[in-house]
Amino acid sequence: MHNKPPVRTRANLGQRVHTGRTQTRSNPLATVRELGTFSPNDAAFALAYARPVRSDINLGLSLRILQRNIDDKNGYAGSIDLGGQWLDLLRGLDFGIVARNLGSAVTVGST
């Protein structure tokens, strides 16, 4: 068989927030007339879980909620990552596969 340590059940909860600089909107056809300012913000909240289903097969799943804010407009989306690993498929060879970002794109405003 293989001499790798067993993979234990693992779960993870994460958060990432990005706040942009305040930006100024102006009309390029006017003489530098300021139209206003805004601050863009992005956030991602994730929950991940992985576990062995047999001694040689591991599976994992990650769920994400994405939020984007630009000026007074908000957008939300969700996505899923799926992954699997087959240990010692052939002597000395492990096989892994992943599908990432299955879900919708963030749409902000009426675009």
Side-chain angles (χ1 to χ4, degrees), residues 64-98:
R64 240 181 335 278
I65 297 173
L66 310 167
Q67 186 270 334
R68 176 165 288 166
N69 171 276
I70 300 176
D71 199 16
D72 63 344
K73 308 288 189 245
N74 289 303
Y76 295 90
S79 70
I80 297 174
D81 297 343
L82 302 170
Q85 181 182 37
W86 189 347
L87 304 174
D88 249 2
L89 177 64
L90 300 172
R91 189 180 317 158
L93 177 68
D94 296 340
F95 175 77
I97 189 165
V98 66

Side-chain angles (χ1 to χ4, degrees), residues 3 7-8 10-11 13 17 19 22 32-33 39 51 54 58 61 91 96 101-102 108 111:
N3 295 328
V7 176
R8 293 187 173 84
R10 299 180 192 272
L13 177 64
V17 177
T19 302
T22 299
V32 191
R33 191 178 110 219
S39 297
R51 65 168 300 194
R54 289 188 351 200
N58 301 312
L61 167 75
R91 189 180 317 158
N101 299 324
L102 303 171
V108 178
T111 56

Side-chain angles (χ1 to χ4, degrees), residues 43-67:
F45 303 94
L47 176 64
Y49 182 76
R51 65 168 300 194
V53 291
R54 289 188 351 200
S55 64
D56 60 342
I57 295 180
N58 301 312
L59 296 177
L61 167 75
S62 174
L63 304 171
R64 240 181 335 278
I65 297 173
L66 310 167
Q67 186 270 334

